[in-house]
Amino acid sequence: MKEGIKMKKRLVVVIFIIIICPVILVGCWNYREIDSLAIVAGMAIDKDMITKKYIVTTEIITTQMSGVSSIINSELYRSEGDSIFNAVRDTIEKTGLKLFWSDAKVLIISRAIALEGVIPVIDWVNRSSDTRSDMWMLISTGNSAAEILEAKIKLNSVTSFHLNETMKSGTSLSNFTDSRLWSFVAGLSSKEKSETVATVKNELHDDSTSPRISGSAVFKVDKLVGYLSANETLYMLMIKNKLKEGLIVLENALDSNTTVTLDIHENKTKLTPHYNNGTTLLTIDIYPAVTIDDVGGTKDIFKEDNLKKLQGEAENQIKVNIEHLISKLQKNFQSDVLGFTESFDKEKPKVSKAFKKNGQDIFVNLKTEVNVYLLIKGSGKTNDSISAEK
Amino acid sequence: MNTNDFSNIKLVSSLNENINIIKNIFTNDTTIVYRELSVGNPDKTKCILIYIDGMANTQLINENIIKPILLNDICDINHSEIIEVLMKEVLLTGNNKKSDLVDDIISGIIYGKSILFIDGFADVIIIDTIGWQTREISEPQAETIVRGPREGFTESMSLNLTLIRRRLINPNLKFIFLKMGKQTKTQICVCYIDGIAEEAILKELMARLNSIDIDGILDSGYIEEIIKDAPYSPFRTIINTERPDVVASKLLEGRFAVICDGSPIVLTLPTLFVEVFQSNEDYYDNFLYSSFIRILRWLCFFISTSTSAIYVALVTFHQELIPTPLLISIYSARKGTPFPSIVEAMGMMIIFEILKEAGLRMPKQVGGAISIVGALVLGDAAVNARLVSAPILIITAITGIASTMLPQVLGLIEIRIFFLLLSSFLGLYGYIFGVMGLVLHMMSIRSFGIPYMLNVPSFSTQDIKDTAIRAPWWNMYLRPKMISKNNKRMKKK
């Protein structure tokens, strides 16, 4: 009896040791203290055109204690390599710390690389388990990608975080596209569809340079083919039914010197493809709802017939701009960033199949009909223009 | 005399011999008063009154025993009926008893009763003159409330029973008295309401109480530890209180109270886990406010057991889960501190516990100085000197304060250390592991046959009326199930 209890006790001890050992031995497989990391805020990729090496610039967060509070700042580390990953690994040599990618917000690619094709560059970022594919993808124009990160902003000491904030506020501006890395990669999967990516360049303001995101770069598959201005980007988003907010400025409204600014706060766009005897036609119905935000003049635009006129002028301006944008994309870039081919795929699959068989591009020769139905919903706090004593 | 057993000693009819027996038992005890009296004409029978100075009420003895015996006008007393005459016609005290057992006599004397020995009889009269000093009824220090009765139990059992009886004017309120402790002979009282309480639980409780074999019982804590279920668990399967209103409410739910003489702490059982989150004030205040506080207490239970473990797991294993701004502020606080996070967390927790325990035992005059040194100087200086990081200080403070939110003491510190160790070498995986283990353990505990987690994992509206929230009184028409025999508390509207 006693022997049995002793055996049982021994067995319990052995089992306990067996359970504890692996926990202690293998438990630390991913143990790392937070202060042993180098937090990457963003990365910029350039290419040395002579040596054909990639230059990766990473912005790494540094902190400095000053008394009780700490100052957050950033440092740039630059390394070269034959591949992106090679260059990234080289950075560890310089930082001495393991790079921590989960909080990297932006991926800036230089114009030169974009012209050659971005797939070799974004593959590692998309593939690696360290980085996140919700990084913002930006194309630097006019500057090298590294120069964008070199600029310092007073509002935010970490440039990448500043770019991140700017991109987040994009929906209220509609000056650039919402270009997440994952959506770009997803867009590459379809042959006809192309993606746009926001562009960034440094601007000079009284001695200091700061990056400004504006406009978008048009890709055909993974190669850069051209740019859209900030205004054109707004109309592109309008066609794609992705517009949330945006401004339309009517200069010399109602044949007076009054400038009226309309704030779009709602928009709905409907694409209807038609096919008739070999000709393809796309009807674009646009239903923007606006408020009059700013009346820069004394003209009384709130009279009923004046309002009607104003509506007509605004509709016309939108229509002209959209038609111009479509012809630019068709003729200059041959890049379907608007998703027209996709709408044919969905609603007229037979037509699009036939076109594909013949090796024809639906987008380039597509005729479009634009109808704008503008709705003026309000005018802020007042119904009058500011007028001088009559 | 070394033994406690007096059953083999027999009283005789000689007064002197009987007194000698008592004197032999209380050798050298100068607090015992032997007052000689003579009663009745014509033979003036000799009597001796024995009591302990300080235990018995001297004024009562003088007025109601000695005075009537000496001044009685019953002149002719038949000697053989003297005890009956004394008890019926002379003594003015309420509770008199005839006895010839030495055991009763000795314990009576010790307990503050007076014994009247009469010459020529082997019987004595035991007169209830208990009158020792007790502490006044005051508000319990450990369970302060804003709204509700302020009375608290004292060290005197009879007073405590009065406090309970006054709240439950009901003949069904039953008391079972026991004596426990070979040396101390402590009085224990089991209290319940007949008709609401389950007999099966009573039977089990009595069986457990009767099996206690211990030298002495100085506090109800002794009993609790001997009879409770799951003795190795950090959870309490028997809960206690110092408030008579709490005891009354538990009795009304069909529970039992165990009162121990000499202790103001009364045990109530069977105990459920949810009782830790219930304060008597919940029932006196607005139910909306009480429900909010209840939910807050559950939150505090989580905070105080888990925050430090989750923090360590996040900071050492799962940095990806921390939002960027938080990550950067933790990063900058951790930069340059010498110890790993787990050492910081453990160290600060131990320091907090030291401060807390020291604050409890310290004389009040020193308390202020120590808390300033502990809280301000230690905490602030440690962060400024970059010995520990600020986040861990905040987390230690939060966990420490949150643990004091619960009205009943619980083994929070054990659970916290358990979680912290697990998460320090397995990350969140280890933490979840610990939570699973804890839940399994809690689910397996029973208190006197009632599942400890009764009603906690339930989502039925009837069950959560007194767990996560405190439903209004007009809606709690059922008593807690399983504990009480008769489930209806009031008529359902």
Side-chain angles (χ1 to χ4, degrees):
Chain A
M1 191 62 199
K2 239 182 181 175
E3 200 63 28
I5 291 171
K6 227 178 178 180
M7 280 294 290
K8 227 180 193 174
K9 257 189 186 167
R10 202 170 289 166
L11 194 72
V12 168
V13 168
V14 167
I15 290 174
F16 189 71
I17 290 171
I18 289 172
I19 290 172
I20 283 295
C21 272
V23 162
I24 290 171
L25 293 178
V26 306
C28 302
W29 89 101
N30 202 17
Y31 173 86
R32 51 187 180 184
E33 284 289 341
I34 198 166
D35 45 325
S36 67
L37 302 171
I39 301 173
V40 180
M43 76 189 295
I45 302 173
D46 291 292
K47 195 171 182 182
D48 191 328
M49 284 306 162
I50 301 159
T51 60
K52 299 283 172 204
K53 279 191 173 185
Y54 289 109
I55 304 165
V56 173
T57 311
T58 42
E59 185 175 29
I60 288 170
I61 289 167
T62 60
T63 60
Q64 207 177 17
M65 289 300 289
S66 72
V68 194
S69 60
S70 61
I71 299 167
I72 293 160
N73 221 319
S74 70
E75 268 174 22
L76 297 183
Y77 287 87
R78 187 186 149 98
S79 55
E80 288 181 25
D82 294 323
S83 71
I84 302 292
F85 189 50
N86 194 343
V88 166
R89 266 295 150 93
D90 264 13
T91 314
I92 298 176
E93 272 174 25
K94 286 169 187 164
T95 56
L97 301 170
K98 224 180 153 215
L99 297 185
F100 182 69
W101 286 94
S102 293
D103 292 276
K105 304 290 183 199
V106 288
L107 166 67
I108 305 169
I109 297 169
S110 76
R111 184 174 160 270
I113 294 175
L115 285 170
E116 282 180 10
V118 291
I119 286 181
V121 172
I122 60 174
D123 182 75
W124 174 77
V125 186
N126 190 45
R127 188 181 300 277
S128 165
S129 60
D130 292 336
T131 54
R132 292 189 177 174
S133 55
D134 68 341
M135 283 164 90
W136 300 104
M137 191 171 159
L138 298 172
I139 302 295
S140 72
T141 60
N143 303 88
S144 74
E147 278 171 340
I148 303 291
L149 289 183
E150 275 160 20
K152 281 281 169 196
I153 298 102
K154 277 182 190 144
L155 270 175
N156 198 330
S157 51
V158 183
T159 312
S160 302
F161 290 170
H162 168 73
L163 294 173
N164 175 41
E165 297 297 326
T166 316
M167 288 303 286
K168 275 196 215 160
S169 65
T171 48
S172 62
L173 291 169
S174 302
N175 281 343
F176 42 83
T177 47
D178 182 67
S179 51
R180 299 266 186 192
L181 177 65
W182 62 264
S183 75
F184 186 82
V185 172
L188 286 177
S189 62
S190 104
K191 219 177 182 181
E192 292 81 18
K193 208 176 141 206
S194 292
E195 289 292 318
T196 51
V197 173
T199 56
V200 60
K201 70 175 175 200
N202 278 347
E203 275 183 2
L204 202 67
H205 289 290
D206 335 303
D207 310 338
S208 70
T209 54
S210 60
R212 176 154 180 228
I213 304 172
S214 178
S216 38
V218 179
F219 278 77
K220 188 160 174 77
V221 194
D222 76 323
K223 288 187 177 60
L224 177 71
V225 288
Y227 301 102
L228 297 179
S229 73
N231 200 33
E232 285 166 334
T233 306
L234 176 106
Y235 292 109
M236 181 193 76
L237 291 171
M238 192 181 254
I239 299 170
K240 287 174 90 172
N241 200 15
K242 279 188 178 163
L243 188 70
K244 299 254 163 60
E245 274 175 83
L247 297 182
I248 293 172
V249 180
L250 293 176
E251 274 169 20
N252 301 332
L254 309 172
D255 305 323
S256 66
N257 57 356
T258 304
T259 308
V260 178
T261 311
L262 301 175
D263 181 11
I264 307 173
H265 51 78
E266 237 183 274
N267 179 56
K268 212 166 181 182
T269 303
K270 225 180 130 196
L271 303 179
T272 329
H274 303 281
Y275 179 74
N276 200 1
N277 289 337
T279 52
T280 47
L281 176 75
L282 189 78
T283 326
I284 304 170
D285 298 311
I286 299 170
Y287 303 90
V290 301
T291 51
I292 298 170
D293 252 26
D294 186 9
V295 182
T298 51
K299 178 89 184 171
D300 184 10
I301 59 162
F302 293 101
K303 267 188 196 160
E304 203 169 330
D305 42 337
N306 279 356
L307 265 181
K308 265 221 176 103
K309 260 193 217 163
L310 185 79
Q311 187 184 341
E313 275 178 31
E315 283 175 352
N316 197 43
Q317 183 172 333
I318 293 173
K319 188 176 169 171
V320 168
N321 273 305
I322 284 181
E323 278 168 352
H324 179 252
L325 171 70
I326 292 173
S327 81
K328 184 177 176 182
L329 285 169
Q330 282 177 329
K331 294 197 177 109
N332 300 1
F333 305 149
Q334 287 106 39
S335 167
D336 179 16
V337 297
L338 301 171
F340 287 174
T341 318
E342 206 180 12
S343 80
F344 268 92
D345 283 350
K346 272 183 192 158
E347 288 175 41
K348 298 263 186 268
K350 279 183 193 161
V351 179
S352 79
K353 235 178 221 172
F355 267 82
K356 269 179 204 167
K357 229 180 216 171
N358 302 339
Q360 278 177 298
D361 195 339
I362 297 180
F363 179 69
V364 176
N365 298 312
L366 185 65
K367 286 204 172 62
T368 53
E369 188 191 317
V370 181
N371 305 310
V372 184
Y373 309 96
L374 186 86
L375 176 69
I376 299 177
K377 275 205 156 170
S379 58
K381 288 194 294 185
T382 169
N383 254 343
D384 297 311
S385 323
I386 298 171
S387 59
E389 193 76 46
K390 276 164 199 163
Chain B
M1 293 285 282
N2 247 341
T3 164
N4 259 333
D5 190 16
F6 306 111
S7 52
N8 51 354
I9 304 175
K10 286 268 180 302
L11 288 182
V12 290
S13 53
S14 155
L15 180 65
N16 284 336
E17 270 182 48
N18 284 345
I19 294 299
N20 277 336
I21 292 171
I22 304 296
K23 280 194 174 163
N24 268 331
I25 292 170
F26 295 106
T27 338
N28 296 332
D29 193 338
T30 51
T31 59
I32 301 204
V33 178
Y34 302 89
R35 171 72 158 89
E36 279 188 35
L37 301 160
S38 56
V39 63
N41 281 324
D43 38 357
K44 291 212 180 268
T45 312
K46 221 177 116 187
C47 312
I48 288 187
L49 185 72
I50 303 179
Y51 61 90
I52 296 184
D53 193 22
M55 292 293 284
N57 185 340
T58 339
Q59 199 189 348
L60 188 113
I61 292 173
N62 292 342
E63 290 288 320
N64 297 344
I65 302 174
I66 299 177
K67 200 171 165 188
I69 288 178
L70 293 181
L71 300 182
N72 76 77
D73 48 3
I74 307 166
C75 293
D76 308 308
I77 301 176
N78 194 337
H79 186 77
S80 56
E81 288 168 358
I82 193 160
I83 288 180
E84 277 70 32
V85 172
L86 277 175
M87 280 172 68
K88 279 182 190 156
E89 296 174 41
V90 177
L91 295 174
L92 302 179
T93 48
N95 189 3
N96 309 326
K97 214 170 82 186
K98 198 168 102 174
S99 174
D100 63 345
L101 298 171
V102 179
D103 247 354
D104 275 4
I105 293 166
I106 299 300
S107 61
I109 293 174
I110 296 170
Y111 209 56
K113 291 176 181 174
S114 303
I115 317 291
L116 189 64
F117 283 81
I118 299 149
D119 195 16
F121 291 92
D123 287 331
V124 297
I125 305 176
I126 300 177
I127 308 160
D128 194 352
T129 54
I130 297 170
W132 66 76
Q133 290 295 312
T134 54
R135 189 164 58 91
E136 270 184 38
I137 296 173
S138 60
E139 186 166 17
Q141 296 288 313
E143 296 170 67
T144 46
I145 56 168
V146 178
R147 180 173 175 178
R150 305 207 179 276
E151 282 176 333
F153 286 125
T154 66
E155 282 75 5
S156 153
M157 183 156 89
S158 55
L159 195 55
N160 292 351
L161 292 182
T162 319
L163 289 174
I164 295 172
R165 258 193 239 259
R166 243 168 48 195
R167 283 176 174 75
L168 302 166
I169 319 274
N170 184 348
N172 285 335
L173 181 64
K174 302 289 185 213
F175 298 94
I176 300 174
F177 292 92
L178 300 163
K179 269 202 181 136
M180 235 168 253
K182 275 178 296 197
Q183 305 294 333
T184 57
K185 302 263 185 233
T186 313
Q187 272 220 311
I188 307 289
C189 174
V190 175
C191 182
Y192 64 98
I193 297 179
D194 197 19
I196 299 178
E198 277 282 3
E199 277 94 10
I201 298 174
L202 177 66
K203 224 170 123 190
E204 173 66 25
L205 173 63
M206 293 315 289
R208 287 189 198 182
L209 284 174
N210 285 327
S211 69
I212 294 180
D213 180 24
I214 190 173
D215 254 6
I217 287 174
L218 299 179
D219 186 85
S220 49
Y222 289 39
I223 306 170
E224 177 188 335
E225 220 162 88
I226 295 171
I227 66 169
K228 79 170 185 180
D229 300 72
Y232 294 108
S233 168
F235 295 101
R236 301 217 162 173
T237 49
I238 293 177
I239 221 165
N240 59 60
T241 180
E242 268 188 79
R243 289 192 165 272
D245 54 320
V246 175
V247 171
S249 81
K250 305 263 181 207
L251 292 178
L252 281 172
E253 288 181 343
R255 289 193 171 84
F256 295 83
V258 177
I259 305 155
C260 169
D261 195 21
S263 167
I265 312 285
V266 172
L267 310 177
T268 59
L269 54 98
T271 299
L272 303 184
F273 180 57
V274 288
E275 283 180 73
V276 169
F277 300 92
Q278 296 168 340
S279 154
N280 54 339
E281 207 178 342
D282 293 354
Y283 301 99
Y284 309 146
D285 252 325
N286 182 315
F287 71 93
L288 287 175
Y289 177 70
S290 304
S291 300
F292 169 70
I293 295 290
R294 280 272 171 89
I295 294 168
L296 210 61
R297 289 198 191 111
W298 283 95
L299 184 72
C300 281
F301 174 69
F302 167 75
I303 288 176
S304 112
T305 50
S306 301
T307 20
S308 43
I310 291 175
Y311 172 79
V312 169
L314 288 182
V315 164
T316 54
F317 288 94
H318 314 284
Q319 291 90 353
E320 300 88 5
L321 286 176
I322 312 174
T324 311
L326 185 61
L327 179 85
I328 291 172
S329 61
I330 294 176
Y331 179 76
S332 67
R334 283 277 309 150
K335 206 81 184 161
T337 52
F339 303 114
S341 299
I342 173 68
V343 175
E344 273 188 352
M346 275 295 187
M348 290 314 288
M349 191 174 69
I350 288 167
I351 288 172
F352 180 84
E353 289 304 315
I354 291 172
L355 284 174
K356 194 171 117 189
E357 195 60 24
L360 276 180
R361 316 265 168 251
M362 223 159 12
K364 277 210 174 81
Q365 293 82 348
V366 204
I370 299 290
S371 50
I372 288 170
V373 170
L376 294 175
V377 181
L378 254 177
D380 200 42
V383 171
N384 278 336
R386 306 209 60 70
L387 283 175
V388 292
S389 60
I392 207 74
L393 210 66
I394 296 164
I395 279 166
T396 311
I398 290 173
T399 48
I401 291 166
S403 64
T404 60
M405 253 297 272
L406 301 183
Q408 279 282 338
V409 185
L410 189 75
L412 289 175
I413 184 82
E414 293 96 320
I415 303 171
R416 198 183 306 156
I417 292 175
F418 173 61
F419 282 177
L420 198 56
L421 285 177
L422 276 176
S423 69
S424 72
F425 48 73
L426 284 175
L428 280 183
Y429 174 70
Y431 169 71
I432 295 298
F433 219 62
V435 171
M436 279 161 60
L438 190 76
V439 170
L440 283 178
H441 168 64
M442 287 163 91
M443 288 293 179
S444 68
I445 306 179
R446 275 165 184 273
S447 171
F448 289 86
I450 310 293
Y452 189 55
M453 297 292 273
L454 187 72
N455 289 352
V456 174
S458 168
F459 288 104
S460 107
T461 44
Q462 195 47 246
D463 290 344
I464 63 164
K465 273 181 186 170
D466 203 13
T467 56
I469 59 164
R470 202 277 282 176
W473 270 112
W474 40 262
N475 204 351
M476 286 197 286
Y477 45 81
L478 291 183
R479 293 198 192 98
K481 66 180 174 195
M482 291 177 87
I483 295 172
S484 52
K485 195 162 66 175
N486 181 358
N487 234 357
K488 280 258 156 51
R489 201 195 309 254
M490 57 166 80
K491 217 190 229 169
K492 189 180 173 181
K493 276 189 181 167

